[in-house]
Each structure stands twice: as C-alpha cells, then as structure tokens.
Amino acid sequence: MSTITYVRGDATAPQAKGVKVIAHVCNDLGGWGKGFVLALSKRWPEPETEFRRWHRERAKNDFGLGALQLVQVEPYVWVANMVGQRGIRTGRSSGVPVRYEAIDTALAALAERAAGLGASVHMPRIGCGLAGGRWERVEPLVRARLAERGVPVTVYD
C-alpha cells in the first residue's frame, strides 16, 4: 500500500522518477481557462487541445461526469483530465460545482491506467479550488482509489 505524500511545489513539475501522471479536475461544460489548467497550458498545449476536442465530439465518446482522458505530454509524463465538476461557479449559482461521485469514478479509472503504466500520480488538491470542494471529502477518495491500490500519490500545495 502506498501513501499520500504532501509537498510544497508545482504539480506541473512532478518530483519523482519514472512515469508520472498529473491529475486534475475539469468541468462538464468544456470550459478551460481558470485555475490549475492555466499552469498546465503554460507548459503544454496538448491537454487543453485534447480536452476541447473530447468535449466537442462528446456525442461520439465517453465525455461526461466521471470520465477520464489521459494525454501524453512528454515521454514519461501524462496529464489526466478528469471530469468531476458540474458546470462552473457563477455569481448567481447556489452550491458548488464539485461532484464527489464523479471524482471517485474518474479516480477509479485513473488507478487502472496508472497501474498499467507503472506511474505515480501527482496533483494539486483536486476539486478544492474553483470546483468548491473540501479536501476532507476528496482525500479519502484519493486514498481509497489510488494509494490503497499501490499507486504512489503526491499532492502539491
């Protein structure tokens, strides 16, 4: 069983050897332009390009809450676009856009893919920024789906 390691740093520059997957939460509207995705786009264009294509072609694919898209950005680095947010927060909206069940589903799929790649997983506190989630709710999902299945996880603050 692996643990969750907490470090100060940039999740787009994972601190590990071997294959690495950078995981983050996306919304189900196809929007990409605020929060952690800005740091991703500054380093690599592919995650945004592929996410927007995935959303645009959603009638013919699995895009939706709980879905996972892996995008390779370097020989040993992948980005996991996980749809775990219903819409976006606006000034008029009530409640938060995070969907814990969707994050759980996406993390389960990520565990399979990461294990197959022999990869470690790196992330900010997913679902807790613009999505409005609470880490006390997300962390047990990360632990159960990834760490307890032997996938090393590093969370960047």
Side-chain angles (χ1 to χ4, degrees):
M1 174 170 19
S2 291
T3 59
I4 298 174
T5 304
Y6 292 85
V7 300
R8 287 210 179 284
D10 178 359
T12 68
Q15 302 171 17
K17 295 197 182 318
V19 180
K20 298 165 279 296
V21 177
I22 300 167
H24 72 107
V25 168
C26 305
N27 64 66
D28 65 350
L29 296 178
W32 183 289
K34 289 186 178 178
F36 182 69
V37 298
L38 296 177
L40 284 173
S41 290
K42 193 180 274 189
R43 284 187 70 111
W44 307 286
E46 297 92 348
E48 177 179 1
T49 301
E50 292 305 311
F51 177 75
R52 289 186 185 281
R53 178 180 300 125
W54 189 31
H55 176 262
R56 191 172 52 250
E57 298 173 358
R58 65 191 175 279
K60 298 179 271 184
N61 64 42
D62 67 344
F63 185 92
L65 285 170
L68 167 73
Q69 179 190 52
L70 273 188
V71 180
Q72 190 167 16
V73 294
E74 292 181 9
Y76 297 101
V77 180
W78 298 74
V79 171
N81 293 328
M82 300 186 302
V83 185
Q85 180 181 327
R86 164 85 65 201
I88 58 173
R89 191 184 294 198
T90 66
R92 302 182 311 274
S93 57
S94 60
V96 294
V98 69
R99 293 295 178 265
Y100 297 109
E101 317 77 40
I103 291 174
D104 189 46
T105 300
L107 286 170
L110 177 58
E112 298 296 319
R113 300 290 300 275
L117 291 167
S120 54
V121 174
H122 305 262
M123 64 180 70
R125 291 183 187 239
I126 58 170
C128 298
L130 295 172
R134 295 191 347 261
W135 188 244
E136 306 83 64
R137 295 271 313 269
V138 175
E139 195 249 10
L141 305 177
V142 172
R143 183 173 309 287
R145 294 298 186 184
L146 296 171
E148 290 177 5
R149 292 181 180 184
V151 177
V153 177
T154 303
V155 175
Y156 296 76
D157 286 321

